[in-house]
Structures are given as C-alpha cells and as structure tokens.
Amino acid sequence: MNISGRLSLAKYLAVAVMMTIFFVAVGVHASPPAAESSELKIVLVSSEAAKADAGKKSVLDEDYVEDDEYYDDEAAQKAKIADPIEPFNRVMYHFNDKLYFWVLKPAAQGYKFVVPEVGRVSVRNFFSNLRTPTRFVSCLLQADFNGAATEAGRFAINTIWGIGGLLDPSSGQELNLKKQDTDLGQTLGFYGVGHGFYIVWPIFGPSSPRDSADIVGDYFLYPVSYLDPFYVPWCVRAYEEVNSTSLRIGDYESLKDAAIDPYIAIRDAYAQYRANKVKQRKMKFESFWGGQTKKENVEKQD
Amino acid sequence: MQKKWTGFFSVLMLFVFIVPVYAAAPLAVVETNVNKVLDVLRDPKLKAPAAKDAKTQRLRVIYKGMFNEVEFSRRTLGRNWNQFTPAQRAEFIELFEQVLEKAYLDKILSYTNEKIEYTREILHSDKQAEVQTKVVTSSQEIPIFYRLIFADGSWRVYDVVVENVSLVQNYRTQFNDILAKNNPEHLLQILRKRVKEQ
C-alpha cells in the first residue's frame, strides 16, 4: 500500500469516527432517560422527581393555548356530534342500559357458562361470514375493489374450508385476507355525508340519521332477514347478539364506570369511533388510488 | 479496493448507531413501561388476592413515570383550563388521577396473559409522537395507541386511544358539558365525591 492510500484510509476513518460521535451525541440528546439502564435510573429517581415537581408548578401557572400543532385538537373538532333531542336520547339510553343489565347480560352469562369460548368464537365467525354481502357492497360503493375482492375470496374460502364459515382460515398468516371492517354508514360518510345528529334507538343503541340508513340497508343485505316465518330472523338476531355479548362482557361496564357522565361518554365514544372508521376508509382509498394514478403516470412517461 | 471497503464500513458504522438510538425513543418508552407493568402482573409472588395492595403500589410507581399527568389534565380541560386557578388545577390533576386509577385498575389487574404487539411508531413532530400497539386476546384484537409528548427531557404519555376512542377527548366532552353550565368548583366537587365513594 502506498502513502496516499494510507492517507485516504486515515481520512475515511477520521470522518467516520467524527460522524459517529456526532450522531451518537444527537441520539443521546434526543433519547429519553427510560432508554438507559434501570440501575442508572434508580440513582437518578430522586433528583428527577424534584425536577418534575418544580416543572409541575411552572406548568400549572401556564394557560392552555389552542395550538395548531396539536393534531388531536383538530381531530376532536371533526368527531363532534350534535344532540338536539337529548332528553329523548337520555330516556332511550336508560332503557337500553336496563335492557343490558336485566336481560342481555344475564342471558349472555348463562350462555357463556354453557358454551366454551372456542364455540362462541366459531358462532361469531359464522354470522360474520353471513354478513359478507354488506361488506362486499360497501367496498364496491367505495371503489375499494381490492377490499371487495378480499371479501369475495374470504367468503369462498371460509365457507368451503372453514366448515360453512365457522372457522376463519382466510385471516391466518398464510392467506392473510383480513376482514374489511366497513359498512353502509361508513360508505355514506366516505362520500362526505355527516352524522346529522345523535339518536339513541331502543335496542339498536347509539346511531344517527346516517347510520340509521345503515341499519335499513344492512337489513336487506343480510341473508338472515329473508328467513321464513317472519319471527325467525328476529330470533336469529337475538341469538347472535347474545353470542357476541358473551365475548365482551365487562366492556360496557368498564366504559360506564370510568365515566363521569356515562351518557355523554358513550355519545362521544360513538362519534369518535365512527369518525375514525370513516377517516381510515378515506385513507385507504387515497393510498390505493393515489398510488395507482402515480404509477400510471410514470408508466405513461416511459 | 481497500478504499472502497473502508468507505463502506464507515457508512455501515453510522447506520449501526443512528437507527436504534434516534428513531426508537417513544416506542422504547412505551415498551419498557408496559413490560414493567406486565412483570408486576405476572409476578408469582404477587398472585395472591391479598397482594392486591402491593401490586397497586408498584403499578402506581410505573404509571407515574410513564404518564405526563399535567399534560393529560390540561388537554382534558382544554380551554376550560384557563378558568381554573393554579390551586384548582393542582387539585384537579390529583383528583382526576385518582378517578382514572380507580376506573382502570381492575381492568389492568384482570390481565391474563394477553399478547401485546408493538405495530408502529409515528413521529408527528419533534415533540409529538404516537405509538400504536395491539392487545391480542383469544377472541379479539384491541388496538391501543399511546400519544406521547416530549417535555422536560423525556417522552411521556398524555393520551391513550383505545379502539379509536381517545380518552382525553372523551373526558373533555364530558367536562365541557359540565363546565358549560357550572363553575370549576362544581366540577371539583363532583370529582371529590366520586373519589370518596369508590
């Protein structure tokens, strides 16, 4: 190796070392104390606590400033829902609350005691498979052809290989065809239709004019609705509800117990949940079609 | 030839240092704290029902380090924060923390070996981040997102989003409703009563 070779090697090494030190310094500055070893932390705890206390006092004197940087404030504005018929809704809320605690929950508990979890999950899969038309049509209406194809594929695979839909082999790791979590209410939201206002229906629960359209549309797309005689569909739906409730006993209770005003808490949770679902569908559309048009443009240029 | 290799290695060395230290910060905070919680819950010495107080005590230490309770309260009150005097703010933070602890403690203590997946970390700015996780139970998957803020030299959680529902926003709607008709003292009264009766 000649001298110039050695020189350049030294240069490279020097640059490498310098840059490494620089990035480590930046990294250490940005990384939190939590990333350090726990032993170190114990030593630091007392001084940190004192610092935090001092910080708390000064923050307490600071005013809250509406900040555009806070992305969640913006999201909060979008997820609001008007409630002009609150007195009616509150009555319906109490009716549904009693219905849950006096009828649905005891039934679900008894059912849970008799049927093991595997069985109940299978029953849920079965009904979910029957609801494929709703999801398929919703995907199509949202121009989500990818999602529609996924739903069609899932229906075929789960019906044939999943023993009529009792099992869900499609969402396993090998096939990875995940259920498209969408409905007609989301489809309307996707096209910019707002909630309108908040309605609590007896039995159906939190809804809005927009999502009520979903209840009606779903009725026609759900094969169970066409069973004879007229009372059979309602019995099937009641059983479906008991089954799905048995898999989430305690969720409603903890939501209610954690709330200061349960009625408002549930109304807000409903509004946030639906708003985020619609947002996710819009994002899926944009990422799919946005990417597609870009690709097409590139191909045309070529 | 050798020149090429040294260049290559120096670049490689950079990557080795940059990636884990710089990008993993908020996710690491959530993961280490959640793991600490799981360690307490899985501790066989604390399995007995009598050990509930000891467990609670340990969990309290963990969540105090994990959450930025001032930011949590401030955002929950939103614009109403400005109507509170500093003394009322301090009391509100204290009471709200107790309300939340009582509401969610039993839920956390009922944990039975669910799997937790850390799916994504999003940096919204150099001060705001979101860590997306998923709790996988035998019958369902529950997405839980942690929102973090960088303040006083560390990333700490100021909001938890469970199944698309933000806790801060949910409480903000409730408190807004109360404070639209009443003064801050009335809200504190409600919270005091709440803490006492539980």
Side-chain angles (χ1 to χ4, degrees):
Chain A
M1 198 195 279
N2 57 27
I3 294 169
S4 73
R6 240 178 259 159
L7 245 180
S8 64
L9 178 90
K11 239 193 309 189
Y12 269 120
L13 274 179
V15 170
V17 168
M18 267 163 65
M19 288 188 78
T20 312
I21 291 170
F22 172 73
F23 281 112
V24 166
V26 171
V28 166
H29 180 72
S31 81
E36 289 160 23
S37 75
S38 55
E39 281 166 47
L40 231 164
K41 232 199 149 184
I42 293 161
V43 184
L44 287 173
V45 158
S46 55
S47 69
E48 242 177 47
K51 234 194 279 168
D53 251 23
K56 212 194 249 178
K57 260 167 214 135
S58 65
V59 174
L60 283 181
D61 296 324
E62 266 172 41
D63 274 353
Y64 177 85
V65 193
E66 210 91 356
D67 197 340
D68 287 345
E69 240 182 283
Y70 290 169
Y71 63 100
D72 45 11
D73 277 0
E74 195 189 322
Q77 289 302 318
K78 279 185 193 147
K80 275 196 179 127
I81 187 164
D83 194 2
I85 51 166
E86 189 176 330
F88 168 82
N89 284 342
R90 279 198 188 257
V91 172
M92 285 305 130
Y93 159 74
H94 284 292
F95 173 79
N96 286 338
D97 185 69
K98 293 285 173 287
L99 187 75
Y100 176 78
F101 282 107
W102 292 351
V103 184
L104 191 56
K105 193 184 172 187
Q109 273 172 327
Y111 175 72
K112 184 182 177 183
F113 184 74
V114 180
V115 184
E117 193 176 36
V118 191
R120 287 179 284 129
V121 170
S122 300
V123 170
R124 190 181 62 183
N125 287 340
F126 176 77
F127 284 119
S128 167
N129 195 40
L130 284 183
R131 282 190 189 273
T132 302
T134 315
R135 293 192 297 269
F136 179 75
V137 169
S138 300
C139 281
L140 278 187
L141 290 175
Q142 293 168 32
D144 178 11
F145 300 118
N146 198 354
T150 305
E151 276 302 323
R154 276 176 56 83
F155 183 74
I157 293 162
N158 286 352
T159 307
I160 297 165
W161 302 106
I163 321 173
L166 287 174
L167 305 176
D168 185 6
S170 331
S171 62
Q173 264 186 348
E174 294 81 8
L175 294 170
N176 200 21
L177 293 173
K178 294 267 187 259
K179 187 162 108 181
Q180 303 296 303
D181 187 11
T182 191
D183 56 43
L184 297 168
Q186 285 175 33
T187 306
L188 288 173
F190 174 83
Y191 286 106
V193 179
H195 269 301
F197 55 91
Y198 188 55
I199 312 173
V200 182
W201 292 116
I203 301 170
F204 289 106
S207 191
S208 66
R210 184 190 83 193
D211 287 352
S212 301
D214 176 60
I215 299 174
V216 176
D218 184 61
Y219 175 85
F220 289 108
L221 288 169
Y222 193 32
V224 167
S225 309
Y226 298 98
L227 291 175
D228 259 351
F230 72 93
Y231 54 84
V232 172
W234 299 106
C235 294
V236 174
R237 274 174 187 258
Y239 170 64
E240 186 186 349
E241 193 55 37
V242 168
N243 183 70
S244 66
T245 305
S246 77
L247 288 164
R248 51 180 158 80
I249 289 176
D251 284 4
Y252 174 66
E253 288 86 331
S254 57
L255 178 65
K256 201 183 153 196
D257 287 345
I260 306 295
D261 182 343
Y263 169 78
I264 305 268
I266 288 166
R267 186 184 75 196
D268 178 73
Y270 165 75
Q272 279 196 53
Y273 182 79
R274 295 299 291 180
N276 280 322
K277 285 279 173 207
V278 170
K279 197 173 117 199
Q280 281 161 16
R281 295 304 298 178
K282 280 185 184 161
M283 271 161 61
K284 191 179 177 199
F285 176 82
E286 270 155 28
S287 70
F288 183 71
W289 290 103
Q292 203 76 351
T293 39
K294 262 181 221 153
K295 238 186 261 164
E296 275 165 21
N297 287 342
V298 171
E299 274 164 20
K300 269 176 205 162
Q301 274 169 14
D302 288 345
Chain B
M1 197 66 205
Q2 216 156 18
K3 218 169 164 184
K4 252 190 212 161
W5 282 110
T6 34
F8 176 74
F9 277 117
S10 58
V11 170
L12 202 74
M13 248 164 85
L14 287 181
F15 284 136
V16 166
F17 282 100
I18 300 162
V19 176
V21 179
Y22 195 63
L27 197 134
V29 170
V30 172
E31 196 169 356
T32 42
N33 280 300
V34 169
N35 282 341
K36 275 192 237 166
V37 170
L38 294 182
D39 284 343
V40 172
L41 294 174
R42 282 180 189 143
D43 195 341
K45 273 178 263 164
L46 297 169
K47 271 277 184 291
K52 197 184 161 186
D53 279 346
K55 242 192 222 176
T56 312
Q57 209 63 43
R58 286 211 202 168
L59 291 177
R60 198 171 288 148
V61 174
I62 300 165
Y63 81 68
K64 291 234 183 212
M66 182 179 178
F67 286 92
N68 187 338
E69 75 275 22
V70 178
E71 197 60 29
F72 208 113
S73 294
R74 207 155 73 116
R75 278 165 186 258
T76 302
L77 286 177
R79 235 170 285 157
N80 293 312
W81 172 264
N82 300 346
Q83 294 174 27
F84 284 60
T85 65
Q88 283 175 323
R89 288 173 186 171
E91 195 189 351
F92 175 82
I93 293 168
E94 194 65 35
L95 289 169
F96 189 41
E97 206 174 75
Q98 287 179 44
V99 168
L100 287 176
E101 183 187 293
K102 276 174 179 142
Y104 292 101
L105 190 68
D106 285 334
K107 194 91 186 149
I108 292 165
L109 287 176
S110 69
Y111 164 87
T112 47
N113 240 357
E114 284 94 356
K115 214 175 81 199
I116 293 166
E117 287 172 14
Y118 299 87
T119 39
R120 242 175 117 191
E121 176 191 66
I122 306 164
L123 286 167
H124 290 286
S125 68
D126 54 351
K127 281 200 163 139
Q128 296 232 316
E130 184 170 290
V131 174
Q132 306 193 335
T133 73
K134 222 188 316 175
V135 177
V136 184
T137 72
S138 49
S139 64
Q140 58 186 340
E141 285 181 359
I142 305 157
I144 297 182
F145 302 164
Y146 298 88
R147 289 185 176 156
L148 295 95
I149 188 162
F150 188 80
D152 302 328
S154 66
W155 285 100
R156 278 184 298 160
V157 177
Y158 72 86
D159 190 7
V160 183
V161 185
V162 183
E163 245 180 305
N164 286 324
V165 178
S166 141
L167 258 189
V168 161
Q169 202 191 318
N170 195 265
Y171 279 103
R172 177 157 40 184
T173 314
Q174 296 176 55
F175 292 154
N176 266 343
D177 195 66
I178 294 169
L179 290 167
K181 300 163 215 149
N182 305 288
N183 57 6
E185 186 52 33
H186 184 82
L187 176 61
L188 291 173
Q189 203 72 44
I190 292 173
L191 294 177
R192 274 183 218 127
K193 219 176 111 195
R194 188 64 197 230
V195 168
K196 242 186 238 162
E197 73 190 21
Q198 276 168 334

